[in-house]
Amino acid sequence: MQFASKLPDVGTTIFTIMSRRAVEEGALNIGQGFPDYPIDPALSDSLLEVIAEGRNQYAPMEGAVELREQICSKLQTCYGRRFDPMSEVTVTCGATESLYDAIQAVVGPGDEAVIFDPAYDVYEPAIRLAGARCVRIPLEPPAFRFDWDRFEAVLSARTRLVIINSPQNPSCSVISAEDLDALAARIRDRPISVLSDEVYEHVLFDGARHQSVLSHEELRARSYAVFSFGKTLHATGWRVGYCVAPADMTRELRRVHQFNTFSIASPLQFGIARYLTKHPDAWHGLAGFFQAKRDLLAGLLRGSGLEPVTARGTYFLLVDYGALSHESDMDFADRLIREAKVATIPLSPFYAEPPRMTLVRLCTAKHDATLRTAAQRLREFARRR
Ligand SMILES: Cc1ncc(COP(=O)(O)O)c(C=O)c1O
């Protein structure tokens, strides 16, 4: 049968490739972004309780009311505004589903969506599946600063969506209040929505505060803001995320969501809701927790030839191997797997047209012992070169 692929140039994600290579070579995987330590036992207890109590049938399409109410309390604490759980919050299968649904809701054939490279890998395929064109603007390492004039220059009569991500994976940079103002000014008189990927909202370092579109009066009125309990509760495998948007935009997102996943695993939603009732400040220590891990790993690597680039947020750390090699990041990352027995993630797959750079990404959401072992292997590798 003749079968035309809708995404002919999309291969296996770099995360799967590197994790597979890590298994083949028996390497320590500190590339892919998932914790290797357990979740809070109180969270597992909440899940087991709600299962035993029979919360095992379909949850409401929009999300369990108890969970949406907890989410609204959390949003009020964090962003100073009361959102309506009934009309402005939707629970989805991870942040990934929120991103997909929002993109399908906003863009279609003939439309354009703007994203910034290095970009998290789910945005472009979802834009193309909607039939729209993805316009990618590269941000230059090591600062990865926005150039809003360049952004304005790519806007056209077809532009319908811009996607931002802060704290940003994989650059570990964060957006500033001035950036949000600049974005708002550039799209003010245009029919452009914002999709704001804020899954690392609680992981900013050195005292910085997260700049959410939800705290920005003008942007909030045209934004989908996307969050993930996977990141906030160290439970990436639970796949529970949510999207916050004005009622009219939420209505359109739900039109996609109800025919995509319909509703999210009931016990997980009720389990998280119960846990948040008992631990309403569950995310409070996250920034300090990950800052300590960033500082541990960066401190162990500094001076080794694999130089840490200061991470402003996320649970990742970029290291620059330029002092050791000028190989491509794909080749160098594969060498690290083979020779150092450490799996990392190269940065170039996050760009449409990668700039010259010698950076790989490490994940700090690991036991301190894992980070120490990885650092020791990397230092020994660097010494041998
Ligand atoms: C920037 C970014 N957005 C979205 C996601 C997806 O979140 P979830 O696992 O909740 O689908 C991730 C996960 O790594 C991410 O790094």
Side-chain angles (χ1 to χ4, degrees):
M1 186 184 83
Q2 285 237 325
F3 185 84
S5 169
K6 292 176 101 175
L7 296 170
D9 54 340
V10 168
T12 312
T13 76
I14 190 65
F15 308 112
T16 306
I17 292 172
M18 297 319 265
S19 292
R20 205 180 280 156
R21 288 284 297 129
V23 172
E24 281 167 12
E25 297 285 339
L28 187 60
N29 189 353
I30 62 159
Q32 202 175 356
F34 59 85
D36 70 346
Y37 42 81
I39 59 172
D40 184 345
L43 180 57
S44 350
D45 289 347
S46 297
L47 177 63
L48 296 176
E49 281 166 27
V50 299
I51 290 176
E53 288 165 17
R55 298 287 203 171
N56 300 306
Q57 308 309 327
Y58 291 125
M61 178 273 279
E62 307 87 341
V65 175
E66 288 86 337
L67 181 57
R68 282 185 282 152
E69 277 167 356
Q70 285 300 325
I71 289 169
C72 288
S73 306
K74 177 177 179 300
L75 292 169
Q76 183 151 25
T77 309
C78 297
Y79 305 119
R81 187 171 194 275
R82 182 75 200 154
F83 289 87
D84 176 16
M86 295 305 142
S87 64
E88 295 182 309
V89 176
T90 310
V91 180
T92 59
C93 182
T96 305
E97 197 221 83
S98 286
L99 293 165
Y100 184 85
D101 293 350
I103 290 167
Q104 303 309 310
V106 175
V107 296
D111 294 339
E112 290 176 358
V114 180
I115 69 174
F116 297 92
D117 286 351
Y120 185 61
D121 63 350
V122 307
Y123 309 146
E124 172 154 6
I127 292 165
R128 286 169 53 194
L129 283 172
R133 192 169 88 86
C134 185
V135 178
R136 303 179 69 138
I137 301 181
L139 306 182
E140 294 288 325
F144 302 97
R145 279 209 190 86
F146 290 97
D147 177 345
W148 293 109
D149 291 336
R150 185 159 183 190
F151 168 72
E152 190 166 19
V154 305
L155 299 182
S156 78
R158 296 160 191 252
T159 313
R160 290 287 170 275
L161 183 67
V162 52
I163 304 181
I164 55 174
N165 169 213
S166 178
Q168 215 268 0
N169 174 17
S171 71
C172 310
S173 59
V174 299
I175 208 163
S176 65
E178 293 73 32
D179 283 321
L180 290 186
D181 288 342
L183 170 61
R186 299 305 207 277
I187 62 177
R188 186 162 295 143
D189 301 318
R190 300 172 186 262
I192 299 177
S193 304
V194 176
L195 174 52
S196 184
D197 180 344
E198 305 188 13
V199 300
Y200 300 104
E201 64 181 320
H202 301 302
V203 192
L204 279 84
F205 304 134
D206 308 313
R209 281 198 48 197
H210 175 50
Q211 299 297 329
S212 173
V213 290
L214 298 183
S215 307
H216 194 285
E217 202 73 35
E218 194 178 347
L219 288 177
R220 184 174 61 233
R222 54 166 83 203
S223 293
Y224 289 103
V226 171
F227 303 92
S228 170
F229 283 117
K231 309 294 176 190
T232 302
L233 301 179
H234 309 288
T236 59
W238 283 32
R239 316 294 303 120
V240 183
Y242 54 99
C243 183
V244 184
D248 54 342
M249 292 175 69
T250 293
R251 202 175 310 119
E252 292 308 311
L253 176 119
R254 288 178 181 173
R255 287 185 165 147
V256 181
H257 164 73
Q258 73 174 342
F259 297 116
N260 183 2
T261 53
F262 180 67
S263 73
I264 306 312
S266 222
L268 297 178
Q269 294 195 60
F270 287 108
I272 293 173
R274 177 162 306 181
Y275 176 74
L276 290 179
T277 313
K278 294 182 191 156
H279 303 272
D281 55 356
W283 63 89
H284 273 188
L286 276 184
F289 177 81
F290 285 119
Q291 183 167 322
K293 291 192 179 292
R294 173 199 71 167
D295 292 347
L296 172 68
L297 185 59
L300 291 168
L301 289 178
R302 207 162 285 125
S304 69
L306 289 157
E307 283 310 305
V309 179
T310 304
R312 308 276 170 214
T314 77
Y315 55 41
F316 301 108
L317 178 70
L318 295 179
V319 294
D320 190 336
Y321 61 84
L324 296 181
S325 161
H326 289 288
E327 281 164 284
S328 75
D329 57 359
M330 294 294 286
D331 289 346
F332 189 75
D334 204 69
R335 180 187 297 280
L336 284 181
I337 292 179
R338 284 182 279 113
E339 296 181 14
K341 298 291 177 203
V342 174
T344 61
I345 298 286
L347 225 63
S348 59
F350 298 89
Y351 279 89
E353 287 172 26
R356 279 183 60 83
M357 61 187 168
T358 45
L359 296 169
V360 291
R361 191 198 78 176
L362 313 182
C363 174
T364 57
K366 308 289 174 195
H367 279 296
D368 286 358
T370 313
L371 297 177
R372 285 183 202 284
T373 306
Q376 190 187 350
R377 291 185 187 184
L378 290 170
R379 288 191 75 92
E380 279 166 13
F381 164 85
R383 212 174 298 128
R384 291 196 300 268
R385 299 222 12 120

